[in-house]
């Protein structure tokens, strides 16, 4: 249908349809049906998407069943509102109306379920389709990425190619997002080649996604090259590059680029400011962080929870704990669990155990019904570091009573285009026996370089020798061992970890890079760590004293 009706036109048609509802020209009249669908579609695309359903329900009192256009527009309304319950009812209505095999309706159902986070329901529709087009595949791939199932998204993309369906720019953006999430550099490079051949690489969203993918897959030089080659850079491209530089520890470059962006007249958005504040946080630039935070109003922006979080983290890491706590308590919005645990952990790191204890007590009183596993784990670990095993046990009992599970830590490594995932102590990999033999070899070699395990990193009530064994089997060490086994001498190793690495693993990676003469890059949930010849080559830039 042509996009010819604005919301104002739709409301006029709405009034006309209601006025003539006693006539006999509803869906039986092609013109009336067109007008009805125009109203539903206009409401679905407006700031009042629920009115599409309300209008449809009112009309159903006087009209026969809808056509497939009506159903697709109503499903779009549900997708925008994440209204899964209403979407399921429309799914049943579509079957009743005989649209079960209609590809447009099926694609709309996939999009609706994915928008509501119900990817498994979307997959049932998708798997039942006899004839999938690029929209079907793209909706499923995008939905998988949105609910943080990047490996599933990449498997879908492989199947899409096997089926001979050519991806479009929207598909490519989602696939590159999946590659960025898991560190699938070789897949990302293959997609990049496809975009060049299909002449999609010049599209702004594709170009920005390529920059983001290369930065998150450890190839910041490739990201910079693409950024420099871009013609008209929008705020999203600038933000992706600033964020990438910050995550690689190149904080001075990140802030220089931020100021360059402002100088050329590109208005920062909320994510741009977050990226700039992250650079300040990583480098410990308190004054610079305050300046950027205080300049937000100049860009027409109001601080959100992520900006407050960056400031609290910046101050806390720098040891300005009084200032950080005051900042948290003066916030005009309620601090979330992440902010509380940021301040609690920093208090512990800086040796202010009394502050950490009273903050933990206050957090537990405020967040009595929280299901945030990270905060419980943090508090339990702090009690363990203080030797208070009784309180740690009570934290674990509280988690069990609320059915809260600890987020498992894992590390991923890509070898020959295949992703391998490891958890701590993992024995499920086909090469497990060889991997653990390699671990033992690694530990023996780095001991000759002066390595001494830091058993205190394992916050469990057990003997030190068992703690050391736990350390040796951390997920990133298993991934690196597999990388050493499976790649050629001198080849770079990239490991992506979903949690922060412990201090002992950081030491091990430095020594392994020296002993095996390998460049090892570990991306944890905060930033990249580049280990070369026994050192972490990510260094803080010079201190900044001016904007």
């Amino acid at each position: 249908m042509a996009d010819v009706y604005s919301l104002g036109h739709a409301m006029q048609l709405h009034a006309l349809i209601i006025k003539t509802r006693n006539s006999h020209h509803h869906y039986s009249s092609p013109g009336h049906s067109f007008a009805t669908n125009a109203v539903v579609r206009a409401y679905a695309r407006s700031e009042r998407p629920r009115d599409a359903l309300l209008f449809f329900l009112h009309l159903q009192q006087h009209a026969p069943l809808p056509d497939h256009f009506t159903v697709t527009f109503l499903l779009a309304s549900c997708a925008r509102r994440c209204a899964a319950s209403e979407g399921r009812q429309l799914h049943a209505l579509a079957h009743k109306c005989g649209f079960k095999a209609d590809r447009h309706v099926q694609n709309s159902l996939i999009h609706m379920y994915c928008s509501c986070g119900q990817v498994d329901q979307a997959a049932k529709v998708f798997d039942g389709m006899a004839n999938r087009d690029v929209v079907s595949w793209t909706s499923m791939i995008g939905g998988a990425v949105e609910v943080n199932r990047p490996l599933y998204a990449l498997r879908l993309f492989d199947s899409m190619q096997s089926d001979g369906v050519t991806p479009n720019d929207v598909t490519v953006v989602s696939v590159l997002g999946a590659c960025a999430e898991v560190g699938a550099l070789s897949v990302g490079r293959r997609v990049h080649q496809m975009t060049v051949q299909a002449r999609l690489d010049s599209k702004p969203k594709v170009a920005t996604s390529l920059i983001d993918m290369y930065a998150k897959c450890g190839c910041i030089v490739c990201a910079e090259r693409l950024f420099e080659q871009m013609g008209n850079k929008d705020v999203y491209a600038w933000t992706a590059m600033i964020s990438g530089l910050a995550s690689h520890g190149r904080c001075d470059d990140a802030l220089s680029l931020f100021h360059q962006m402002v100088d050329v007249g590109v208005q920062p958005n909320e994510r741009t400011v977050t990226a700039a504040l992250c650079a300040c946080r990583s480098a410990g630039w308190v004054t610079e962080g305050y300046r950027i935070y205080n300049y937000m109003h100049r860009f027409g922006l109001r601080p959100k929870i992520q900006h407050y979080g960056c400031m609290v983290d910046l101050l806390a890491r720098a040891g300005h704990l009084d200032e950080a706590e005051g900042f948290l308590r003066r916030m005009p919005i309620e601090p979330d669990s992440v902010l509380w645990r940021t301040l609690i952990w920093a208090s512990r790191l800086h040796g202010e155990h009394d502050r950490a204890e009273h903050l933990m007590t206050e957090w537990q009183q405020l967040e009595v019904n929280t299901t945030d596993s990270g905060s419980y784990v943090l508090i339990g670990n702090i009690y363990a570091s203080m030797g208070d095993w009784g309180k740690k046990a009570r934290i674990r009992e509280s988690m069990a009573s609320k059915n809260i599970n600890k987020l498992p830590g894992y590390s991923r490594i890509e070898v020959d285009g295949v992703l391998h995932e490891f958890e701590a102590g993992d024995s499920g990999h086909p090469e497990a026996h060889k991997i653990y033999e390699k671990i033992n070899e690694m530990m023996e070699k780095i001991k000759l370089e002066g390595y001494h395990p830091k058993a205190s990193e394992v916050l469990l009530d057990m003997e030190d020798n068992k703690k050391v064994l736990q350390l040796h089997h951390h997920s990133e060490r298993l991934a690196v061992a597999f990388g050493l086994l499976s790649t050629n001498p001198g080849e770079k190793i990239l490991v992506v970890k979903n949690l922060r690495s412990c201090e002992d693993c950081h030491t091990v990676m430095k020594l392994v890079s020296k002993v095996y003469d390998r460049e090892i890059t570990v991306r944890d949930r905060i930033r990249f760590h580049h280990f070369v010849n026994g050192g972490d080559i990510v260094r803080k830039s010079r201190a900044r004293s001016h904007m």
Side-chain angles (χ1 to χ4, degrees):
M1 293 177 64
D3 191 8
V4 294
Y5 288 106
S6 66
L7 182 59
H9 289 135
M11 293 177 73
Q12 293 175 22
L13 282 169
H14 186 167
L16 178 62
I17 291 168
I18 291 173
K19 183 178 179 181
T20 61
R21 67 180 179 267
N22 292 324
S23 70
H24 301 286
H25 302 288
H26 297 290
Y27 286 106
S28 57
S29 165
H32 206 289
S33 179
F34 181 89
T36 300
N37 286 334
V39 175
V40 172
R41 182 182 59 173
Y43 277 134
R45 295 180 176 181
S46 74
E47 295 179 356
R48 297 158 47 183
R50 190 167 186 270
D51 284 358
L53 188 63
L54 295 176
F55 168 71
F56 170 73
L57 292 174
H58 172 78
L59 204 63
Q60 283 301 289
Q61 300 173 27
H62 314 283
L65 293 174
D67 62 21
H68 72 282
F69 287 115
T70 320
V71 174
T72 59
F73 300 147
L74 290 170
L75 287 169
S77 164
C78 293
R80 288 192 60 197
R81 296 181 294 115
C82 297
S85 178
E86 294 169 358
R88 283 192 295 271
Q89 293 177 58
L90 286 167
H91 191 171
L93 178 63
H95 279 219
K96 180 181 178 181
C97 295
F99 304 141
K100 182 178 180 179
D102 184 284
R103 191 169 65 187
H104 297 291
V105 172
Q106 289 172 319
N107 285 342
S108 296
L109 283 166
I110 292 169
H111 175 65
M112 182 275 295
Y113 280 124
C114 286
S115 298
C116 297
Q118 298 188 4
V119 172
D120 290 336
Q121 285 297 116
K124 290 179 181 178
V125 178
F126 180 79
D127 292 340
M129 293 181 70
N131 185 21
R132 306 181 188 113
D133 60 8
V134 66
V135 176
S136 320
W137 287 100
T138 301
S139 295
M140 275 306 307
I141 292 169
V145 173
E146 285 298 315
V147 298
N148 197 28
R149 290 172 61 180
L151 295 178
Y152 178 45
L154 293 178
R155 288 196 298 272
L156 283 167
F157 180 60
D158 285 340
S159 298
M160 176 184 183
Q161 290 184 290
S162 297
D163 274 14
V165 179
T166 303
N168 59 22
D169 56 322
V170 181
T171 324
V172 164
V173 168
S174 293
V175 173
L176 289 171
C179 293
E181 178 64 25
V182 300
L185 179 59
S186 67
V187 179
R189 282 180 167 149
R190 176 160 55 89
V191 174
H192 186 184
Q193 291 172 354
M194 290 171 52
T195 65
V196 173
Q197 292 168 359
R199 298 184 178 179
L200 296 174
D201 57 318
S202 61
K203 288 181 175 288
K205 288 185 179 180
V206 173
T208 298
S209 297
L210 285 166
I211 291 168
D212 185 59
M213 181 276 294
Y214 278 118
K216 288 179 178 174
C217 289
C219 194
I220 191 67
V221 174
C222 297
E224 285 183 289
R225 189 181 302 121
L226 285 174
F227 180 77
E228 290 166 2
Q229 291 171 355
M230 283 186 73
N232 295 321
K233 304 178 181 75
D234 60 17
V235 65
Y236 304 104
W238 286 94
T239 300
M241 196 65 247
I242 293 166
S243 179
L245 290 167
S247 69
H248 281 263
R250 292 175 52 183
C251 304
D252 211 351
D253 291 337
L255 287 196
S256 294
L257 199 64
F258 174 78
H259 295 308
Q260 182 183 338
M261 177 184 116
V262 175
D263 289 343
V264 299
V266 178
Q267 188 83 347
N269 62 21
E270 293 170 356
R271 291 189 176 185
T272 323
V273 174
T274 301
L277 289 175
C278 285
C280 296
R281 178 190 64 188
S282 296
W285 294 330
V286 173
T287 302
E288 189 87 331
Y290 264 124
R291 283 174 175 165
I292 290 173
Y293 171 80
N294 290 329
Y295 279 1
M296 287 185 70
H297 70 278
R298 291 177 52 184
F299 309 125
L301 302 172
R302 298 182 64 179
K304 298 283 183 67
I305 190 71
Q306 64 267 28
H307 305 115
Y308 294 119
C310 284
M311 289 303 298
V312 170
D313 198 8
L314 167 59
L315 293 167
R317 286 189 190 205
H320 302 180
L321 295 175
D322 287 338
E323 203 171 344
E325 185 174 347
F327 197 98
L328 181 143
R329 297 189 184 283
R330 291 193 303 271
M331 285 171 50
I333 58 178
E334 193 72 24
D336 61 10
S337 292
V338 176
L339 266 72
W340 280 102
R341 68 175 184 246
T342 296
L343 187 54
I344 291 167
W345 188 247
S347 300
R348 182 256 184 185
L349 285 179
H350 290 286
E352 293 204 18
H353 299 297
D354 289 343
R355 185 194 299 269
E357 186 126 31
H358 87 72
L359 286 170
M360 286 190 291
T361 301
E362 185 175 354
W363 174 83
Q364 289 177 79
Q365 292 170 347
L366 290 171
E367 302 282 347
V368 64
N369 293 318
T370 186
T371 57
D372 175 37
S373 64
S375 297
Y376 283 101
V377 171
L378 167 67
I379 290 175
N381 286 344
I382 289 178
Y383 283 137
S385 69
M386 297 163 61
D388 196 334
W389 301 106
K391 286 185 178 178
K392 176 168 183 176
R394 285 196 288 275
I395 290 292
R396 295 185 70 175
E397 289 169 4
S398 178
M399 290 179 69
S401 68
K402 297 176 182 178
N403 199 28
I404 299 172
N405 296 315
K406 178 182 176 181
L407 179 69
Y410 60 79
S411 295
R412 291 174 177 145
I413 181 171
E414 183 191 46
V415 176
D416 296 330
V418 178
L419 285 160
H420 301 262
E421 184 173 295
F422 299 90
E423 293 185 6
D426 201 337
S427 60
H429 194 277
E431 302 290 327
H433 180 70
K434 292 181 180 179
I435 290 169
Y436 280 101
E437 283 185 342
K438 195 67 175 181
I439 287 281
N440 293 335
E441 177 191 294
M442 287 162 51
M443 295 306 108
E444 289 301 318
K445 286 191 173 185
I446 65 175
K447 281 179 184 177
L448 298 176
E449 297 291 326
Y451 168 67
H452 297 286
K454 191 174 182 180
S456 60
E457 288 282 335
V458 179
L459 301 174
L460 297 172
D461 191 9
M462 59 174 60
E463 299 295 326
D464 278 0
N465 62 330
K466 292 183 179 179
K467 289 184 177 182
V468 170
L469 192 62
Q470 289 247 346
L471 283 173
H472 291 348
H473 297 168
H474 276 186
S475 65
E476 57 264 60
R477 302 191 197 191
L478 299 179
V480 167
F482 179 70
L484 291 171
L485 285 167
S486 308
T487 58
N488 296 320
E491 195 171 334
K492 295 179 182 179
I493 292 174
L494 170 66
V495 173
V496 175
K497 184 176 172 66
N498 68 326
L499 303 176
R500 294 202 68 175
S501 292
C502 71
E503 186 178 334
D504 193 71
C505 282
H506 195 272
T507 300
V508 166
M509 294 303 156
K510 287 195 289 187
L511 293 173
V512 169
S513 74
K514 178 182 179 182
V515 168
Y516 290 90
D517 193 23
R518 294 288 194 107
E519 182 175 333
I520 299 172
T521 300
V522 177
R523 187 189 92 192
D524 64 20
R525 67 179 180 85
I526 299 295
R527 68 175 180 89
F528 282 86
H529 305 267
H530 301 280
F531 303 100
V532 178
N533 195 29
D536 184 347
I537 64 172
V538 176
R539 301 186 181 95
K540 293 179 181 178
S541 306
R542 61 179 173 79
R544 296 172 66 92
S545 58
H546 58 83
M547 282 288 282

